[in-house]
Amino acid sequence: MNVLSRSSATQFAARECRVFGTVRGISKTTPVPGVELVEMDVRDDASVHRAIQFVIDQAGRIDVLINSAGANLIGAVEETTTDEAAALFDTNVFGIPCGRFRRCLART
């Protein structure tokens, strides 16, 4: 969970909101008090769908979604592989911002 996500989740939890935080790997994430962690990869429709279904099963609905998923690459473009560039684009462009969340929510 990045700094922006952690800060937002902490603020909502402090206001007694029920907060779910998505992470790629729960075992690698430091717990956040008042936040229920849910494993999800924004590049994988099935993973997004499972996370959405889990939250709806637990809370009944999703009132607010804050997306701060993102990735970056550091280095020369000519040293970037096609797979690295594709993964970056998939996370930052085709992930939740471009509708993966809406498509998965519609199937829930």
Side-chain angles (χ1 to χ4, degrees), residues 2 18 22-23 29 35 54 61 63 65 70 73 75 84 91 97-98:
N2 65 35
R18 187 159 186 199
T22 60
V23 295
T29 304
V35 178
F54 176 81
R61 64 181 193 252
D63 292 325
L65 170 72
L73 288 174
E84 289 172 327
T91 299
C98 282

Side-chain angles (χ1 to χ4, degrees), residues 21-31 36-40:
T22 60
V23 295
R24 277 183 252 152
I26 290 176
S27 63
K28 301 176 199 170
T29 304
T30 304
E36 298 175 59
L37 296 179
V38 180
E39 203 159 304
M40 183 179 85

Side-chain angles (χ1 to χ4, degrees), residues 19-89:
V19 179
F20 296 87
T22 60
V23 295
R24 277 183 252 152
I26 290 176
S27 63
K28 301 176 199 170
T29 304
T30 304
V32 180
V35 178
E36 298 175 59
L37 296 179
V38 180
E39 203 159 304
M40 183 179 85
D41 182 346
V42 298
R43 299 173 299 167
D44 178 6
D45 280 358
S47 176
V48 173
H49 188 270
R50 280 190 304 275
I52 291 168
Q53 190 62 57
F54 176 81
V55 172
I56 290 172
D57 289 347
Q58 297 299 307
R61 64 181 193 252
I62 297 173
D63 292 325
V64 176
L65 170 72
I66 299 172
N67 175 42
S68 61
N72 63 19
L73 288 174
I74 299 173
V77 172
E78 62 269 13
E79 294 176 3
T80 301
T81 68
T82 302
D83 288 342
E84 289 172 327
L88 179 72
F89 204 78

